[in-house]
């Protein structure tokens, strides 16, 4: 009997590249991972060598293909990627003209400030769903074309771009270009919607926004549906051509991997930061409360896009890292659970982990980490518990912002990411939200989502119902405190956040 077919997911993350092969039941059957170098050329600036991204991604893909017995086992490839990270390369050689500017980099903050000072924030918000923040790709493209202190000072890049010699891509498009041997230059709406250049309502690049940001249209990739045939890998890479059938930003892919297909469904990923996405269906909700409005996916040509409200919290697992590396209260991140469980509450202590400012919904680059409510009775267990509570409370703030924007309160929060292994954290999350928290068996939801999107395009899976049926529960956490205690917790947390805000002097903003 021929070996069963598989879908290969490429999960190109900020610190590592991963490849996972999934079977028809959505089970991971082979996996490989490789970290790559992070570059910090100056404070607040982060870059990647695009060749390191490519080399690590190709190596893990080849490893998984070899583990499963060769490319004949792979029916299609789906790609999920770190979002917003910006690469510009030469069309004729495929060579990058500069290092990738990583999403975390603040190097384009002055460009965004200038656009804001020109009164353009409402225009960008309305068309793109995004605030004018250094996080997003468009100004990073302009930065590369104009050169800069830490980029190769090549004065003719802008002219070369205008002549059509250069191509821009987020990491999805760069990998697609490389995998197809330069045959296909395309991206999908979930990635395009993070550029500040893409009209999320018309699903098209916007010439007026391109003009404001200073990006020539000829560098842009074609935008195609998230799930669909993008092209084939060059036969030389894996021994035979494999169809590439999906591109999606990592958080949108994770939402798909969580089978949060219906409006009102939400997922939260607890990694270094936390990313909560609420599916708002075919409606792009413009946030008045510090959230982003973003495209989730488009499942076929002519199909309407699905949208989400998104809130990003900068420090989630990072707060646990601080307990480990800064305070040395624990030796490894999972130990936080036992330490925090030594006490039944934090004794009135609140920790606001605003190490690099606060993200959604506060967007305060001047906030700094703060601990309030210390007494002589406070010990490491109380601090550990306050740390876990701070993660849950920040996610709670994002949910409240969504409700304030008019979204219905989700009835369940699906969770994933490294820190979702922590039972106490998820119990605290259910308590803070007053909503059930559901952890699936498969926590590799980003790769799984990319696989599902690719498999859907080639008929490996027939529809969303079939995919949704794979979602299986590991454990559900029910709210265990009453509304009175919940209100008290949230009120005190907000008072602690107020004390953390505006602490650093202007000029000391770290933004991310
Ligand atoms: P990323 O993709 O952002 O690198 P991961 O999803 O791998 O993050 O999760 C790692 C983060 O989760 C780290 O910040 C770590 O401190 C935290 N973490 C890992 N395990 C636990 C745990 N059991 N309890 C709390 N935090 C944890």
């Amino acid at each position: 009997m021929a070996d069963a077919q598989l879908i290969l997911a490429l999960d190109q993350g900020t610190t590592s590249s991963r490849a996972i092969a999934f079977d028809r039941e959505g089970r991971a059957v082979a996996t490989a991972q490789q970290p790559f170098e992070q570059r910090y050329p100056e404070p607040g600036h982060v870059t990647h060598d695009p060749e390191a991204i490519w080399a690590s991604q190709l190596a893990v893909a080849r490893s998984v293909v070899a583990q499963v017995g060769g490319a004949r086992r792979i029916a299609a490839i789906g790609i999920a990627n770190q979002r917003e990270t910006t690469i510009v390369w030469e069309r004729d050689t495929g060579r990058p003209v500069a290092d990738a500017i990583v999403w975390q980099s603040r190097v384009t903050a002055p460009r965004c400030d200038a656009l804001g000072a020109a009164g353009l924030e409402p225009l960008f918000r309305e068309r793109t769903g995004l605030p004018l923040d250094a996080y997003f790709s468009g100004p990073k493209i302009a930065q590369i074309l104009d050169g800069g202190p830490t980029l190769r000072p090549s004065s003719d890049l802008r002219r070369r771009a205008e002549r059509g010699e250069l191509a821009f891509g987020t990491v999805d498009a760069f990998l697609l270009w490389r995998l197809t041997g330069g045959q296909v230059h395309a991206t999908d709406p979930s990635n395009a919607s993070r550029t500040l250049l893409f009209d999320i309502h018309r699903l098209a690049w916007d010439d007026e926004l391109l003009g404001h940001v200073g990006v020539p249209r000829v560098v842009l990739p074609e935008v195609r549906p998230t799930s669909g045939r993008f092209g084939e890998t060059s036969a030389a890479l894996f021994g035979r051509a494999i169809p590439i059938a999906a591109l999606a930003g990592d958080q949108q892919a994770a939402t798909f991997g969580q089978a949060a297909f219906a409006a009102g469904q939400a997922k939260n990923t607890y990694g270094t930061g936390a990313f909560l996405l609420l599916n708002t269906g075919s409606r792009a909700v413009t946030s008045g409360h510090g959230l982003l409005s973003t495209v989730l996916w488009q499942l076929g040509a002519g199909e309407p896009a699905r949208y989400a409200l998104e809130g990003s919290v900068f420090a989630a697992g990072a707060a646990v890292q601080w307990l480990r590396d800064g305070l040395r209260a624990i030796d490894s991140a999972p130990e936080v659970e036992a330490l925090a469980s030594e006490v039944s509450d934090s004794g009135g202590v609140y920790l606001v982990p605003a190490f690099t400012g606060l993200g959604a919904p506060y967007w305060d680059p001047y906030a700094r980490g703060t601990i309030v409510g210390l007494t002589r009775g406070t010990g490491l267990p109380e601090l550990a518990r306050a740390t876990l509570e701070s993660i849950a409370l920040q996610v709670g703030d994002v949910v409240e912002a969504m409700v304030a924007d008019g979204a219905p309160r989700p009835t369940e929060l699906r969770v994933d990411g490294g820190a979702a292994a922590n039972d106490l954290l998820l119990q605290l999350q259910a308590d803070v939200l007053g909503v059930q928290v559901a952890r699936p068996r498969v926590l590799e939801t980003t790769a799984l989502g990319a696989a599902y999107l690719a498999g859907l395009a080639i008929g490996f899976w027939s529809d969303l119902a079939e995919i949704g049926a794979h979602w299986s529960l590991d454990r559900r956490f029910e709210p265990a405190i009453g509304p009175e205690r919940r209100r008290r917790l949230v009120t005190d947390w907000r008072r602690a956040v107020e004390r953390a805000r505006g602490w650093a002097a202007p000029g000391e903003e770290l933004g991310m």
Side-chain angles (χ1 to χ4, degrees):
M1 197 182 88
D3 290 333
Q5 290 281 290
L6 306 167
I7 303 286
L8 175 61
L10 307 184
D11 176 4
Q12 205 303 303
T14 307
T15 59
S16 76
S17 297
R18 269 203 286 225
I20 304 181
F22 290 96
D23 68 13
R24 225 173 267 281
E25 280 69 49
R27 289 180 302 227
V29 299
T31 169
Q33 179 168 7
Q34 214 179 83
F36 60 91
E37 187 197 358
Q38 308 291 307
R39 297 179 169 175
Y40 304 99
E42 59 181 82
H45 189 25
V46 189
T47 65
H48 289 158
D49 175 1
E51 297 295 354
I53 290 178
W54 168 246
S56 57
Q57 191 61 71
L58 182 61
V60 293
R62 282 183 163 150
S63 161
V64 166
V65 168
Q67 286 177 52
V68 301
R72 66 188 175 77
R73 297 279 314 278
I74 309 294
I77 290 175
I79 298 174
N81 57 289
Q82 54 165 319
R83 302 179 301 175
E84 297 104 9
T85 297
T86 298
I87 304 175
V88 176
W89 64 91
E90 296 176 336
R91 287 183 190 272
D92 60 351
T93 65
R95 267 206 309 264
V97 300
D99 272 358
I101 303 183
V102 175
W103 58 271
Q104 295 151 313
S105 175
R106 309 305 297 169
V107 75
T108 51
R111 282 173 191 272
C112 296
D113 291 346
L115 291 167
L120 293 167
E121 176 102 29
L123 174 74
F124 277 90
R125 244 213 198 272
E126 189 204 304
R127 296 223 184 128
T128 71
L130 307 175
L132 278 170
D133 187 87
Y135 193 2
F136 306 108
S137 310
K140 295 183 202 272
I141 306 173
Q143 184 83 21
I144 291 176
L145 297 184
D146 293 335
T150 54
L151 299 168
R152 211 176 306 157
S154 165
S155 56
D156 70 340
L157 284 180
R158 182 166 283 282
R159 261 187 304 123
R160 293 183 60 200
E162 279 157 4
R163 285 202 300 264
E165 294 172 20
L166 305 182
F168 148 75
T170 37
V171 171
D172 55 311
F174 176 66
L175 292 177
L176 179 67
W177 176 279
R178 286 284 173 101
L179 287 167
T180 60
Q183 295 300 301
V184 185
H185 185 210
T187 187
D188 93 296
S190 74
N191 279 294
S193 75
R194 317 291 298 192
T195 60
L196 283 169
L197 307 175
F198 187 72
D199 184 328
I200 61 171
H201 312 285
R202 290 189 299 116
L203 298 182
W205 299 118
D206 187 291
D207 285 318
E208 189 181 353
L209 303 183
L210 285 164
H212 288 309
V213 180
V215 173
R217 195 179 176 111
V218 290
V219 304
L220 299 177
E222 184 190 338
V223 183
R224 300 201 197 154
T226 310
S227 172
R229 287 177 184 265
F230 283 88
E232 291 191 333
T233 61
S234 331
L237 289 177
F238 302 105
R240 64 182 283 183
I242 306 170
I244 299 158
L247 307 180
D250 52 12
Q251 296 304 323
Q252 288 95 329
T255 308
F256 204 83
Q258 285 275 21
F261 303 136
Q265 285 188 296
K267 74 90 200 172
N268 187 58
T269 300
Y270 301 88
T272 309
F275 292 91
L276 198 153
L277 274 75
L278 172 73
N279 187 326
T280 59
S282 52
R283 192 166 142 246
V285 176
T286 303
S287 177
H289 298 89
L291 306 170
L292 313 182
S293 182
T294 201
V295 175
L296 270 180
W297 48 70
Q298 183 192 19
L299 295 185
E303 297 263 333
R306 300 286 150 180
Y307 298 90
L309 271 175
E310 173 177 328
S312 344
V313 169
F314 296 154
V320 176
Q321 289 169 21
W322 177 73
L323 278 185
R324 185 192 61 194
D325 306 336
L327 279 193
R328 303 200 186 169
I330 48 177
D331 289 325
S332 72
E335 287 174 31
V336 68
E337 186 165 359
L339 183 60
S341 299
E342 287 177 21
V343 288
S344 58
D345 62 56
S346 61
V349 174
Y350 287 82
L351 180 145
V352 184
F355 306 119
T356 55
L358 285 171
Y362 302 103
W363 298 105
D364 183 350
Y366 305 107
R368 286 297 177 274
T370 303
I371 301 172
V372 295
L374 297 178
T375 65
R376 282 297 296 271
T378 306
L380 289 175
E382 283 82 5
L383 269 187
R385 200 166 179 107
T387 301
L388 294 181
E389 284 177 356
S390 79
I391 301 173
L393 285 159
Q394 289 182 99
V395 170
D397 285 340
V398 170
V399 170
E400 289 312 319
M402 289 175 172
V403 171
D405 274 337
R409 191 175 294 277
T411 52
E412 169 192 271
L413 183 66
R414 294 187 167 187
V415 298
D416 52 54
N422 189 316
D423 290 350
L424 176 57
L425 169 63
L426 299 189
Q427 182 57 52
L428 292 169
Q429 189 69 78
D431 291 346
V432 164
L433 294 178
V435 155
Q436 291 184 358
V437 170
R439 179 172 64 200
R441 287 224 175 87
V442 178
L443 286 177
E444 298 281 6
T445 51
T446 302
L448 183 59
Y452 281 156
L453 285 159
L456 197 59
I458 62 157
F460 189 83
W461 290 291
S462 52
D463 53 27
L464 296 183
E466 184 187 359
I467 289 171
H470 295 156
W471 192 92
S472 83
L473 184 73
D474 169 51
R475 187 164 163 195
R476 192 179 292 283
F477 299 82
E478 305 276 352
I481 63 172
E484 190 46 46
R485 228 173 115 202
R486 177 172 311 123
R487 236 187 327 270
R488 186 71 208 274
L489 194 63
V490 172
T491 306
D492 286 347
W493 160 252
R494 298 263 165 88
R495 293 201 301 136
V497 169
E498 282 315 309
R499 279 162 176 74
R501 294 189 67 174
W503 179 258
E508 291 175 3
E509 61 270 55
L510 295 166
M512 293 309 293

